[in-house]
């Protein structure tokens, strides 16, 4: 018999850090798959750590022979800034890697007779607003609007949502219908995420997490977007709560498969102003990178998450102030060994 486990790809990434602990606390046996070696503290919380790539099909075949996956959290991805430098590689990781895992998941469903849950972090990058006037007018946008992404990453995530919908609702629709098939795909369109434990790399919403981590270390920071730049954000514990809550939701309650979630949406200046009340020596200058600015300007100023609230009871724990005072400021201090003044 194969062992029943939860697979987390990209387990050593920002979301993986919190998610693996949360799943381990819930008593799950987690198999972590990541390009990084097992040296990470996340690996210690896993039943097994596999250093490898989601593009390695022989590795995936070995996993299928060894484990029965109950759920897959597919976190591995190349983020939006990095993807613009190597769009072909981004497509391979973000799309072909996802397709490999969806295929593996559908095969597992056939074996087990139970539709495997496939949890997918999508992004506000699936939206594309054409200009700032439209962005201001659009305000808080719903899932089915403004779906014309301008980045490779956004296109990849949008297409993977379609793939997920296909595997969930229309998989092999011309085949002889017998038995349970396909994959129970569920996606969360995350806003920018801010973790006390890690700093992201390769994303375009990175200016907010980079700013607080630099300021907490009393280091100068050059913010690459204008002070008035506004997109939604969320504290990492809420991001973890959201994806776990969506996993636990009854499938019959889901009116669709890709949900907005959000917590707060300060401008870069408003975020800095809050930091200045906590670290009066904060040295932040605005040095706009025009191209990265254009990407952030194409993302919504806010998203409407009513569907998540109504369908599966989503509600963030942290608002802007409590995210800072109850999570980020103490959390970063403790990561630094209590060294934040
Ligand atoms: N944080 C992502 C990025 O900046 C967007 O979801 O690429």
């Amino acid at each position: 018999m194969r062992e029943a486990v939860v697979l987390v790809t990209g387990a050593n990434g920002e979301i993986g850090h919190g998610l693996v602990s949360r799943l381990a606390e819930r008593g799950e046996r987690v198999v972590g798959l990541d390009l990084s070696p097992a040296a990470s503290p996340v690996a210690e919380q896993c039943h097994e750590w596999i250093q490898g790539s989601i593009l390695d099909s022989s590795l995936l075949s070995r996993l299928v022979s060894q484990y029965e996956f109950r759920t897959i959290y597919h976190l591995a991805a190349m983020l939006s800034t990095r993807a613009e430098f190597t769009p072909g590689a981004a497509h391979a990781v973000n799309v072909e890697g996802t397709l490999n895992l969806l295929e593996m998941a559908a095969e597992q469903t056939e074996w087990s007779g139970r539709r495997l849950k496939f949890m997918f972090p999508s992004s506000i990058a699936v939206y594309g607003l054409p200009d700032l006037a439209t962005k201001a007018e659009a305000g808080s946008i719903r899932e089915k609007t403004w779906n014309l992404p301008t980045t490779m990453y956004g296109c990849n995530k949008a297409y993977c949502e379609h793939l997920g919908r296909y595997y969930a609702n229309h998989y092999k629709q011309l085949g002889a219908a017998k038995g349970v098939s396909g994959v129970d795909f569920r996606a969360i369109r995350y806003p920018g995420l801010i973790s006390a434990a890690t700093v992201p790399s390769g994303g375009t919403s990175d200016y907010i997490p980079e700013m607080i981590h630099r300021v907490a270390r009393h280091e100068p920071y050059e913010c690459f977007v204008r002070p008035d730049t506004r997109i939604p954000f969320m504290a990492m514990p809420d991001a973890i709560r959201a994806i776990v809550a969506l996993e636990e939701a009854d499938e019959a309650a889901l009116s669709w498969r890709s949900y907005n979630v959000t917590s707060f949406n300060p401008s870069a200046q408003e975020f800095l102003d809050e930091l200045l009340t906590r670290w009066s020596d904060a040295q932040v200058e605005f040095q706009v990178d025009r191209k990265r600015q254009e990407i952030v300007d194409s993302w919504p100023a806010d998203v409407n998450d009513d569907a998540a609230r109504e369908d599966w009871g989503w509600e963030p724990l942290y608002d802007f102030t409590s995210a800072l005072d109850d999570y980020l400021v103490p959390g970063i201090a403790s990561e630094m060994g209590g060294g934040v003044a």
Side-chain angles (χ1 to χ4, degrees):
M1 289 293 284
R2 296 174 305 163
E3 291 175 77
V5 295
V6 174
L7 175 65
V8 179
T9 73
N12 199 36
E14 280 219 291
I15 301 174
H17 272 248
L19 178 67
V20 169
S21 315
R22 177 69 203 276
L23 294 173
E25 273 164 30
R26 206 172 71 176
E28 304 281 3
R29 290 153 80 87
V30 177
V31 171
L33 172 61
D34 201 284
L35 293 172
S36 316
S40 123
V42 187
E44 286 163 22
Q45 300 175 68
C46 290
H47 171 65
E48 186 184 350
W49 185 265
I50 295 156
Q51 183 180 4
S53 165
I54 53 172
L55 298 176
D56 180 348
S57 41
S58 56
L59 170 64
L60 297 186
S61 303
R62 173 172 88 70
L63 289 181
V64 172
S65 68
Q66 192 176 349
Y67 293 111
E68 180 180 329
F69 297 118
R70 204 183 53 72
T71 303
I72 295 176
Y73 281 87
H74 174 36
L75 311 180
M78 188 186 293
L79 293 183
S80 57
T81 291
R82 196 161 290 161
E84 288 310 307
F85 290 103
T86 53
H91 187 275
V93 173
N94 294 344
V95 175
E96 291 161 33
T98 302
L99 185 66
N100 288 346
L101 287 155
L102 283 166
E103 277 291 308
M104 184 179 89
E107 190 192 326
Q108 290 247 332
T109 292
E110 272 167 39
W111 277 101
S112 66
R114 197 174 49 82
R115 269 154 65 89
L116 189 139
K117 281 188 196 164
F118 194 103
M119 305 307 299
F120 184 69
S122 188
S123 163
I124 49 163
V126 299
Y127 298 110
L129 284 308
D131 52 58
L132 284 174
T134 312
K135 172 167 169 160
E137 199 181 324
S140 172
I141 69 178
R142 296 206 67 143
E143 283 88 346
K144 291 178 184 166
T145 58
W146 301 109
N147 302 129
L148 284 176
T150 65
T151 61
M152 187 60 174
Y153 173 76
C155 292
N156 294 163
K157 287 289 183 186
Y159 176 59
C160 287
E161 288 187 14
H162 285 301
L163 282 177
R165 190 173 49 77
Y166 168 77
Y167 275 80
N169 299 338
H170 309 288
Y171 181 63
K172 289 188 175 171
Q173 56 195 293
L174 297 183
K178 57 170 168 31
V180 181
S181 76
V183 174
D184 180 359
F185 176 92
R186 305 175 182 198
I188 292 215
R189 291 183 183 164
Y190 280 125
L193 301 180
I194 324 172
S195 169
T198 52
V199 186
S201 64
T204 319
S205 59
D206 294 4
Y207 59 95
I208 289 284
E210 282 173 359
M211 193 189 297
I212 188 168
H213 279 269
R214 289 287 182 79
V215 166
R217 285 167 175 74
H218 307 283
E219 292 168 7
Y221 181 60
E222 280 186 2
C223 178
F224 58 82
V225 295
R226 290 186 317 270
D228 68 339
T229 304
R230 190 184 298 279
I231 59 169
F233 281 93
M234 176 177 283
M236 189 58 80
D238 273 333
I240 308 295
R241 285 177 58 248
I243 200 161
V244 170
L246 179 58
E247 189 219 317
E248 288 171 351
D250 182 355
E251 191 178 7
L254 306 181
S255 53
W256 58 57
R257 295 190 172 271
S258 300
Y259 288 89
N260 286 342
V261 290
T262 189
S263 299
F264 43 85
N265 65 334
S267 69
Q269 182 66 54
E270 287 164 358
F271 192 74
L272 173 57
D273 290 344
E274 286 297 322
L275 297 189
L276 280 163
T277 67
R278 292 160 179 87
W279 292 278
S280 55
D281 67 343
Q283 302 166 60
V284 176
E285 283 185 16
F286 291 89
Q287 287 285 347
V288 176
D289 177 321
R290 192 174 56 80
K291 301 265 165 109
R292 292 179 96 187
Q293 178 75 59
E294 279 173 12
I295 290 177
V296 186
D297 285 345
S298 78
W299 292 347
D302 201 2
V303 290
N304 176 311
D305 60 6
D306 286 354
R309 289 170 185 266
E310 282 158 23
D311 289 0
W312 44 276
W314 157 248
E315 199 178 349
L317 264 186
Y318 294 108
D319 61 17
F320 185 22
T321 308
S322 62
L324 284 164
D325 290 336
D326 301 342
Y327 169 62
L328 289 163
V329 175
I332 295 173
S334 110
E335 289 292 323
M336 291 167 59
V340 178

